[in-house]
Structure formats: structure tokens, C-alpha cells
Amino acid sequence: MEYYSTHINKLIEQLSRLPGIGAKSAQRLAFHIINMPQEQVEQLAGAMTGARSNVRYCKECFTLTDQDVCPICANPKRNHKQIMVVENTRDLAAYEKTGKYEGVYHVLHGAISPMLGIGPNDIKLKELMHRLQEDVDEVIIATNSSLEGETTAMYISKLIKPTGIKVSRIASGVPVGGDLEYIDEVTLLRALEGRVEL
Ligand code: ZN
């Protein structure tokens, strides 16, 4: 790509580092950005740096938020004794979209994967166990139905069982290996309602 200016090359190179963006898409995006009005480009760049520097983990559930405590945890109308464990903030958003879940969440930020070298200490599991020292009625494990998600679910249920807190797993209506965020709301609700105690 010697025939582009250094600035264009740099932009293409940065864009192509993003997930799902190949060399061709990176070029297309780079030229799109160059043709955008200056002001719009500044807004885009500002949104990126703003999100990166202001977004942090919620102190309670560890979802991504720009406050100390996320709006869900801060809501007194939610059932704080029911905790749904999800792999990431996108999964949380998928359940929130159903508008039917009234409990709170715990975001693990990953799943246990011996193959990728991701162990229990690499996800927010200690933090979950810490939360369970408070008054909790039920933990609903809603990790994905992938191998990693199932491994994580089993691991968590074994940890929680001795505490006497009810542990359940969402029903397997969720396609195997399916990312929760791509599953429609009806299927998610059915999975939640059909959860089984472990
Ligand atoms: Zn929260």
C-alpha cells in the first residue's frame, strides 16, 4: 500500500486491527472517514476516547457503565436477591431487552476455557462469590451453551452448592454455541422461564 499517503496507511492499519475488519473493509472505512466532514470525524474520535476513558466496571455487578454503580444495580425496584450470571455486557443487554427480568446481574467478562488458558481467576468469579455473602435467594447461570459456557456453569454451580443458595441454569432452548446476544427475545424468555435447578 505504498501508493497511499502515510496518514492514510496509518488509518487503514489501525482500522484493520479491529475485530471483523479485514484489509478491504479497513480501506473502505478509511476512505469513508477521509471524506467525512471534519466535525463529524472529530465527533467519532471523541466518542471513542470518551467511551474508553469514562467507561468502567459497576462496583456491584461488573457490567460496563459510566457511573460507580450501574442503573440496574442502583434501581431499588429490582430484585437484588436474584442474580443472573452472564458472560458479558452484551448478554446482559440481550436479557434487558426482553424487559421481563426483574433481578440483577453479575458479569463475568469471559468464560473458563482450558484450551485458551482462561481459568477461574481470569473472570469475575471471586467477585461473584463475594456478593453471595449478602442475602441472595437464587443465582441463575446464563452463560452461553458453548463448551466454555457449560464448563463455567458447572464450575460455578459446584462453588455455590455448599452455600445452600439455589442455583439454576437457563433452559437449553438456546442453540449450542449460540451467542446470547443474537438470540431473539422470545427464545431468551423461554430459556429463563424454563430454567432448571442444578
Ligand atoms: Zn451493576
Side-chain angles (χ1 to χ4, degrees), residues 10 32-33 46 48 62 82 84 98 109 119 124 139 146 184:
K10 244 192 213 164
H32 179 80
I33 291 167
M48 287 198 271
F62 293 86
Q82 191 178 43
M84 187 194 291
T98 68
H109 292 282
K124 303 276 178 214
V139 175
S146 59
D184 69 87

Side-chain angles (χ1 to χ4, degrees), residues 19-171:
I21 307 285
K24 265 195 186 157
S25 303
Q27 278 190 51
R28 194 171 47 80
L29 285 171
F31 285 109
H32 179 80
I33 291 167
I34 290 160
N35 287 312
M36 271 160 58
Q38 179 76 23
E39 194 192 292
Q40 220 181 311
V41 176
E42 273 156 23
Q43 277 171 4
L44 174 64
M48 287 198 271
T49 48
R52 181 62 186 87
S53 50
N54 290 308
V55 173
R56 61 192 107 155
Y57 292 141
C58 165
K59 267 187 185 164
E60 288 179 28
C61 73
F62 293 86
T63 193
L64 297 170
T65 178
D66 42 20
Q67 289 137 19
D68 266 0
V69 175
C70 78
I72 298 170
C73 290
N75 185 350
K77 286 188 186 136
R78 305 288 296 230
N79 178 2
H80 288 251
K81 294 183 179 183
Q82 191 178 43
I83 299 177
M84 187 194 291
V85 180
V86 291
E87 289 183 23
N88 55 51
T89 295
R90 297 190 309 271
D91 292 345
L92 178 155
Y95 272 102
E96 276 305 283
K97 253 199 275 173
T98 68
K100 293 278 163 61
Y101 176 65
E102 284 165 354
V104 292
Y105 297 89
H106 186 87
V107 182
L108 294 172
H109 292 282
I112 297 169
S113 170
M115 251 169 43
L116 296 172
I118 301 169
N121 289 330
D122 300 314
I123 57 177
K124 303 276 178 214
L125 205 52
K126 273 195 310 285
E127 291 81 353
L128 172 65
M129 295 314 289
H130 184 73
R131 283 179 79 184
L132 299 186
Q133 289 170 6
E134 280 162 44
D135 192 12
V136 175
D137 289 337
E138 184 184 7
V139 175
I140 303 168
I141 306 176
T143 50
N144 287 339
S145 53
S146 59
L147 178 63
E148 292 80 12
E150 293 298 348
T151 308
T152 309
M154 247 159 32
Y155 190 90
I156 295 176
S157 78
K158 269 189 200 150
L159 274 185
I160 299 178
K161 266 287 160 78
T163 66
I165 296 169
K166 182 177 168 191
V167 194
S168 56
R169 174 89 174 109
I170 53 164

